[in-house]
Structure formats: C-alpha cells, structure tokens
C-alpha cells in the first residue's frame, strides 16, 4: 500500500539552517495493516507521514502509494492521493472552520466533487464511526466540547473514505475516558472498513493495545518496523532510545534479568498476570 | 504545618444558558490544604476539578459555602489581588499564556503591572528563570521553544510573583513525555526546596504517584483523599470513574483476583519487583 525507497527529507536545504529530518527510509506498509508509529519529538515521525499524502516532497528517494510513484505521476494523481490518504493532524479541532458541524464534515467530500446524496451518506457514516449525535449536525462546531470537536475533525477525514487513515496523536490532551473512546472508534473503523491505519503516538501502551505492527523512528531513521511482539522483544533498545516502555514491560525485563523464566515480551497487565500465574502454578506443582 | 486553604461545603453551578437549567459543577466540596503540600487532583473531564481550582484565586465565586485562602475570603472582591499574589495559576495550553516576544520580558510581565522597581524586578526574574532551569534562554523568543520549555516559562512568570502556592490545571496535557518530565521535575524541586505548595490537576498517574497527597473527584464531589498508596488501593472504584491506575497496581489487583496475597497499592517498578520476588521465591530459576 505504502512503500518508500531511500526516502530523505532536508529542511531549509542549502541554507545554514539545513537539518536532516528523515534519512534513507525504506519501508513497506501492507494494505489493511494497523501501524503504530512511535519515536520522541524530533525523531521525524511527522515529517515521514507528511510525505504519505504528498504534503511534503522528498529531497531524495521515492514514495509509492498503491504502486504509483507519487512524484513521477502528474499533479492530478497527487491530488487524488490527498483523498486516498487521509491525514488527521495533531489537535485537529484547531482546524475546524465551518458554520455547522455538517458543513465541516462534508467539506472534504464536497471537494472531491461527489454528488449531494453521496456526501450526505458519507457524513452520516462518519458520524457513526466517531459516535456523534445527529442532533449536533446543525450546531456550530465552536459550541461543542473539546472531545466532541476532536471527533468532528476526525469525522471530516473519515468522510473522505480514505484507503489509508493517518492520525497524529489523536488522543493528545484528552482524559483517559476520552482517549479510550477515540482509540476504540478508530479500531472499529479499521476493522469495518479494512483500511490501512497509521497511529502516531508517544504512548507505547496505546500503540501496543491497538496496532498490529510498530514503526520506530529515532533521529530521522526508521530503526524498527515489525510486529508488536517483535518490537517489544527489543524493549531494552527502546529504553535506550529514551522511549517510555510500559511499566509492566520494565518489571518483566527485570524479572528476566534476575533469572526468572518469564517472557520479556509483556506489555499488558493481562499478559503479565498470565505469565506470573503460569510460573506460580509450576512452583505449586514442584512443591506437591 | 499551618492550613493555607480551607474549603468548606463549596457549591457552584455554572449560570444557565438560555432556556436551560444551571449546570451544577461542585457539590458540598470540603478540603483543607496545608502549607508545603504537593497535591494531585484527579478526575475525568467535567468532574469539577478545574472549577474547584478556579475558586482558589477568585476567578469563580462560590454559590454557597466558603473558600478561605491565607485567611482571606476568596469571594471578597477587595482581596482578589492580594490572593492572586499568593496563589498563582498555570493553565494547559502554553501558547495561550505567553505574551511577550522575549523570554525574560514575559516572566517580568506581572511584576511590571504590579509596579515592582526595576532592580528588584531584574533580580526576581533572574531568580525565577534559575529555578525553572531556563536562564540560558532568557533572551530567546518564546515561540521557538518546546512545549515543556514554554510551560516552564509560564511557571517562572508565576514564580516571579513569589506566590506561596501554585495551582496548575493540566500543565502537561499538551506536552510530549520529555516535556512532561521537565515540568514535573521543576514542580517537585520548587516544592521540596523552597516549600511552595503545589496543587496539580492531571490525568497522568505517573505524576500523581509522585505527590504527597491525591484527591480524586467525581461528579462534582471529592471521592477519595489520601496518600497515593491509600488512594490507589481502590482500583475498582478508580476504574468506575474511568481513571487510569498505575500498571503495577493493576497487576497486583489482577493477581489478587486469583487469590494471590499481594498488596494492591504498588506504585513503582522496584516495589513491584520486590513483591513479585516474594511471591515467586526463586521458582524456575
């Protein structure tokens, strides 16, 4: 679905402020995958995803969307890419601008040139995905609560019915309830539409609970891209990069270092409990 | 330690919008805060924690009940300035709190308004920047700084007023993990080293466990109030309030469900390891 070849991007190229944002990225994200993108601030995550819907042009290297080389294609193809790859920025509620919720969500589909009935259908569907009440459609988005505004903004991108949905920290600033709600809506969307989803996050816990695979960015390079368990297998490396691995992962890494035969690959409380119960039962049998 | 804030049977409802009933936000809240405490206030959105905070320096006035701050009635219009010199507030979005185009001018903003003489102002600004570790950035433009740095500038602006108490309403919600750690380290340092009372509203458990005291709010009332250890015993209740619980306590709670006798309020990785080792006692090694 998304493929990059030696993708690099320099900011302020040719000036004294030139900085390398991403360097030599070679990744392949298959259709229908749910990828968590992690890395700390300045690691190049946002620069990378901005290439996927042609907002940024690579300094060198190539990007293929559905096998199509984005920058050797004509402009029309790139415009189509903006509809095919939906990007939800951080704090997307700051970008609401229409008079009503309906107008805001329908802005994208309208620009795609869809007929009125189709726009209507898409707004309806997007509203369901984000769990917003239809009674809000005629309201001004600015009269809504923070959590509702965020959902309107996400619905606006979902209404494009993109083949790839990319969300940059969709849960930032929300309370635990709001975070769980948004993430479960995105999970439903992924399951039902079979689209490819990229979730950019600082939280390893959120990523491990939602994604199938993880892409780790560090200092502008893609240093890992593998299934969730395979990435957590290298939890020590993640700690070394200054990433916050879940507390429970740290507990199990330490237990293993102390010589206990537990999996180092534990990142949820459920897995942790199962590992410990297995071990305790074994101990119980040995004593019998 | 002397009590500096005393809240007794505080009730507050937001005024009604046209054609709607007033929206009650706080119900009979009573709370005493001592000088030098580091208090974390937890609760989901809409539980009343920000509303409570806004009563501490006279931004909102009680419908009934009383809020006494440093011996003054917080609803007394004439005392508001004096109260705000003692209780400073920091809000969530760093970009909304920075006014000047140079860091030290921003920190000096309140002092200028208070008419503090120039030499003293310079001294206080320098001191405040030193405390938040931003001295090196004093001539920088605030908009070029990271979120964590901006938030520390906002804290310095409050510090320059030499308040006895700082109230922070989700100061780390918009920051990345690095910025969150910077702000938390700064607050702990101010509390431990110069005895500033800190009241921190947050969603992050790793911040709450570092406080001396945790107050949990739900639907406009105080639901739990105690040390982090006491509060995080109540895993079930916290879940029902849709709050996070530290993963280590979650694990202990899950083991308890399996009849394994472990304490629940285990809040750090080290403590958790100790408890697990006690249970495992070398099995399989």
């Amino acid at each position: 679905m998304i493929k990059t070849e030696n993708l690099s991007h320099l900011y302020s190229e040719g000036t004294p402020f030139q900085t390398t944002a991403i360097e030599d990225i070679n990744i392949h994200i298959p259709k229908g995958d749910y990828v968590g993108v992690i890395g700390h601030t300045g690691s190049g995550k946002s620069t990378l995803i901005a290439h996927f819907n042609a907002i940024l042009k690579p300094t060198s290297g190539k990007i293929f969307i559905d096998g199509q080389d984005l920058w050797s294609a004509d402009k029309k193809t790139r415009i189509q890419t903006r509809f095919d790859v939906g990007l939800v920025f951080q704090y997307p509620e700051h970008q609401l601008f229409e008079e009503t919720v309906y107008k805001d969500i329908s802005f994208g589909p309208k620009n795609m040139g869809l007929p009125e009935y189709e726009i209507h259908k898409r707004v309806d569907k997007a509203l369901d995905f984000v769990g917003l009440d239809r009674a809000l459609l005629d309201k001004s988005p600015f009269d809504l609560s923070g959590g509702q505004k965020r959902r309107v903004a996400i619905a606006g991108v979902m209404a494009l019915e993109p083949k790839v949905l990319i969300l940059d920290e969709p849960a930032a600033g929300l309370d635990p309830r709001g975070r769980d709600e948004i993430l479960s809506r995105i999970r439903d969307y992924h399951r039902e539409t079979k689209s490819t989803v990229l979730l950019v996050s600082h939280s390893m816990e959120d990523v491990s609970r939602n994604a199938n695979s993880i892409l780790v960015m560090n200092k502008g390079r893609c240093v890992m891209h593998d299934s969730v368990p395979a990435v957590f297998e290298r939890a020590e490396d993640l700690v070394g990069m200054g990433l916050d691995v879940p507390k429970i992962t740290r507990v199990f890494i330490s237990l293993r270092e102390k010589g206990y035969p537990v999996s180092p690959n534990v990142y949820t409380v459920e897995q942790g409990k199962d590992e410990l119960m297995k071990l305790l039962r074994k101990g119980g049998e040995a004593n019998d | 330690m002397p009590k500096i804030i005393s809240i007794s049977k505080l009730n507050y409802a937001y005024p009604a919008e046209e054609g709607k009933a007033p929206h009650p936000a706080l119900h009979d809240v009573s709370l005493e805060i001592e000088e030098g405490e580091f208090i974390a206030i937890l609760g989901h959105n809409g539980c009343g924690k920000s509303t409570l905070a806004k009563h501490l320096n006279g931004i909102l006035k009680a419908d009934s009940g009383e809020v006494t701050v440093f011996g003054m009635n917080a609803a007394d219009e004439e005392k508001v300035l004096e109260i705000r010199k003692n209780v400073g507030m920091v809000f969530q979005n760093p970009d909304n709190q920075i006014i000047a185009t140079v860091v030290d001018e921003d920190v000096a903003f309140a002092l200028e308004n208070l008419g503090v003489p120039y030499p003293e102002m310079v001294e206080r600004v320098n001191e405040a920047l030193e405390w938040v570790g931003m001295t090196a950035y004093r001539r920088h433009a605030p908009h070029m700084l990271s979120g964590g740095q901006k938030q520390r500038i906002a804290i310095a602006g409050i510090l320059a007023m030499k308040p006895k108490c700082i109230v922070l309403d989700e100061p780390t919600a918009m920051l990345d993990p690095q910025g969150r750690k910077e702000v938390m380290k700064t607050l702990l340092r101010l509390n431990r080293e110069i005895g500033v009372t800190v009241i921190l509203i947050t969603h992050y458990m790793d911040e709450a466990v570092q406080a001396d005291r945790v107050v949990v709010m739900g639907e406009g009332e105080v639901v739990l109030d105690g040390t982090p250890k006491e509060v995080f015993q109540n895993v079930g209740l916290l879940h029902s309030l849709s709050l996070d619980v530290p993963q280590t306590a979650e694990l202990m709670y899950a083991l308890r469900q399996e009849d394994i006798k472990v304490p629940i309020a285990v809040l750090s990785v080290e403590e958790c390891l100790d408890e697990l080792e006690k249970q495992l006692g070398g099995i399989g090694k």
Side-chain angles (χ1 to χ4, degrees):
Chain A
M1 186 71 221
I2 301 177
K3 205 175 133 211
T4 68
E5 268 179 25
N6 309 322
L7 178 66
S8 298
H9 192 94
L10 303 173
Y11 283 118
S12 311
E13 195 186 4
T15 77
F17 302 106
Q18 178 175 319
T19 39
T20 307
I22 53 172
E23 202 174 356
D24 212 11
I25 309 274
N26 291 291
I27 51 173
H28 176 230
I29 295 169
K31 197 173 157 71
D33 201 4
Y34 190 145
V35 190
V37 182
I38 60 167
H40 51 74
T41 309
S43 62
K45 305 183 297 257
S46 301
T47 304
L48 177 66
I49 59 172
H51 281 89
F52 296 157
N53 77 344
I55 289 180
L56 285 179
K57 188 178 178 182
T59 310
S60 64
K62 284 180 178 168
I63 310 146
F64 299 89
I65 304 286
D66 255 345
Q68 170 77 54
D69 180 349
L70 261 192
W71 292 93
S72 70
D74 55 0
K75 204 171 162 207
K76 242 172 90 190
T77 314
R78 276 195 296 281
I79 290 173
Q80 185 55 41
T81 304
R82 301 250 161 90
F83 299 130
D84 288 343
V85 182
L87 186 49
V88 179
F89 290 98
Q90 224 180 98
Y91 297 103
E93 60 275 23
H94 295 168
Q95 294 166 39
L96 297 172
F97 67 100
E98 279 283 12
E99 291 157 33
T100 67
V101 169
Y102 181 87
K103 281 189 186 173
D104 219 299
I105 300 177
S106 62
F107 182 80
K110 212 172 249 168
N111 273 300
M112 292 171 80
L114 296 172
E116 201 59 43
Y117 70 90
E118 175 67 20
I119 294 173
H120 200 77
K121 211 172 80 193
R122 288 191 174 203
V123 171
D124 215 48
K125 228 161 120 190
L127 217 53
D128 277 342
F129 270 125
V130 296
L132 278 175
D133 194 337
R134 279 178 181 65
L136 298 177
L137 279 176
D138 293 327
K139 283 205 164 193
S140 160
F142 301 102
D143 289 339
L144 307 181
S145 75
Q148 286 172 325
K149 278 188 208 167
R150 173 95 34 113
R151 283 192 255 171
V152 170
I154 294 176
V157 177
M158 284 179 174
L160 297 170
E161 298 189 355
K163 294 179 195 155
V164 183
L165 178 66
I166 307 177
L167 305 107
D168 193 354
E169 296 265 6
L174 299 180
D175 68 352
R177 181 189 283 178
R179 175 202 62 206
D180 291 344
E181 167 92 25
I182 289 271
L183 293 177
S184 86
R185 297 287 175 182
I186 296 167
R187 237 175 8 238
D188 292 346
Y189 177 86
H190 173 248
R191 203 183 42 233
E192 285 172 37
T193 62
K194 311 264 186 292
S195 52
T196 311
V197 174
L198 272 73
L199 173 73
V200 179
S201 175
H202 282 299
S203 166
M204 286 288 268
E205 278 171 68
D206 289 351
V207 163
S208 61
R209 255 181 292 186
N210 289 284
N212 305 323
S213 61
I214 300 183
L215 195 155
V216 183
M217 294 291 294
N218 190 39
K219 296 180 182 158
R221 288 177 179 272
C222 171
V223 288
M224 296 181 205
H225 181 203
D226 217 327
S227 67
V228 174
V231 167
F232 272 93
E233 194 113 23
R234 296 174 59 189
E236 277 119 330
D237 295 342
L238 297 172
V239 175
M241 281 175 236
L243 292 170
D244 273 327
V245 303
K247 266 190 178 164
I248 198 137
T249 309
R250 275 163 46 206
V251 169
F252 277 84
I253 291 176
S254 298
L255 278 178
R256 211 177 144 80
E257 277 167 3
K258 286 174 187 280
Y260 289 98
V262 289
S263 158
N265 206 341
V266 168
Y267 39 89
T268 66
V269 171
E270 199 50 37
Q271 290 170 336
K273 189 191 95 177
D274 290 347
E275 275 294 308
L276 289 168
M277 291 313 293
K278 243 189 338 203
L279 199 54
L280 284 168
R281 275 187 205 114
K282 216 193 267 171
E285 281 160 22
N287 285 340
D288 283 343
Chain B
M1 278 290 179
K3 287 192 180 68
I4 55 168
I5 294 175
S6 158
I7 302 166
S8 129
K9 296 215 172 267
L10 169 63
N11 284 284
Y12 184 79
Y14 283 98
E17 274 178 57
E18 235 174 294
K20 280 189 195 155
H23 175 65
L26 293 175
H27 180 68
D28 270 349
V29 172
S30 296
L31 210 60
E32 309 254 301
I33 295 169
E34 287 180 7
E35 192 173 350
E37 278 193 292
F38 193 123
I39 302 184
I41 302 186
L42 296 177
H44 61 75
N45 287 344
C47 74
K49 41 190 200 327
S50 299
T51 309
L52 178 66
K54 286 179 183 146
H55 280 85
L56 301 180
N57 72 349
I59 297 177
L60 292 176
K61 289 177 183 45
D63 290 341
S64 72
E66 208 169 329
V67 181
T68 311
V69 181
F70 293 102
M72 295 171 275
N73 182 348
D76 186 345
E77 209 56 75
E78 299 195 340
K79 297 278 166 51
V80 159
L81 260 182
E82 194 52 34
I83 287 175
R84 289 191 188 160
K85 276 189 216 166
N86 283 297
V87 181
M89 275 198 92
V90 175
F91 297 95
Q92 189 184 92
N93 190 339
D95 292 321
N96 293 348
Q97 298 173 79
I98 288 175
I99 303 145
T101 49
V102 184
V103 164
D104 59 3
E105 286 175 15
D106 191 82
V107 176
F109 183 78
L111 300 182
E112 279 181 289
N113 284 326
L114 291 171
V116 174
Y118 185 74
E120 189 189 336
M121 191 157 73
V122 172
E123 200 179 307
R124 286 216 216 169
V125 167
N126 288 344
E127 211 182 319
L129 284 171
E130 194 67 46
W131 274 109
V132 301
M134 288 296 290
T135 305
Y137 295 89
R138 51 176 308 188
R139 301 303 298 163
H140 282 232
H143 73 272
M144 301 291 279
L145 302 177
S146 73
Q149 290 172 326
K150 283 184 202 166
Q151 219 39 323
R152 285 189 283 156
I153 297 301
I155 294 170
I158 297 294
L159 269 186
M161 315 235 303
K162 297 196 185 268
K164 298 196 181 85
C165 174
I166 304 183
V167 181
L168 305 102
D169 194 353
E170 296 185 33
T172 59
M174 296 177 82
L175 307 183
D176 63 12
Q178 177 63 30
R180 284 212 304 266
K181 278 185 203 140
E182 286 169 15
V183 167
M184 201 55 201
K185 213 173 104 194
T186 305
L187 294 178
L188 284 166
R189 188 164 168 235
L190 293 174
N191 177 258
R192 309 282 192 254
E193 293 178 29
I194 39 176
V196 178
T197 308
V198 175
I199 302 173
L200 172 69
I201 297 177
T202 184
H203 291 310
Y204 293 107
M205 292 308 121
D206 47 344
E207 293 172 8
V209 300
Q210 295 180 65
D212 303 322
R213 178 176 165 197
V214 176
V215 173
V216 178
M217 295 194 59
E219 317 310 329
E221 296 184 33
V222 172
V223 184
L224 291 168
D225 182 356
T227 62
K229 284 220 168 257
E230 288 162 356
V231 165
F232 290 116
Q233 295 277 0
N234 305 285
V235 174
L237 178 61
L238 292 167
H239 280 167
S240 73
L241 293 167
S242 349
L243 292 174
D244 280 341
V245 175
Q247 263 191 337
T248 45
E250 290 269 11
L251 179 66
M252 294 295 142
Y253 182 71
L255 289 174
R256 283 276 277 243
Q257 312 273 335
E258 301 282 338
D259 273 337
I260 310 251
K261 303 276 177 286
V262 282
I264 294 179
V266 169
L267 305 180
S268 73
V269 170
E270 294 70 30
E271 242 181 295
C272 183
L273 263 178
D274 285 349
E275 288 301 334
L276 292 179
E277 283 212 273
K278 262 188 237 166
Q279 291 301 324
L280 292 170
I283 298 172
K285 266 185 145 179

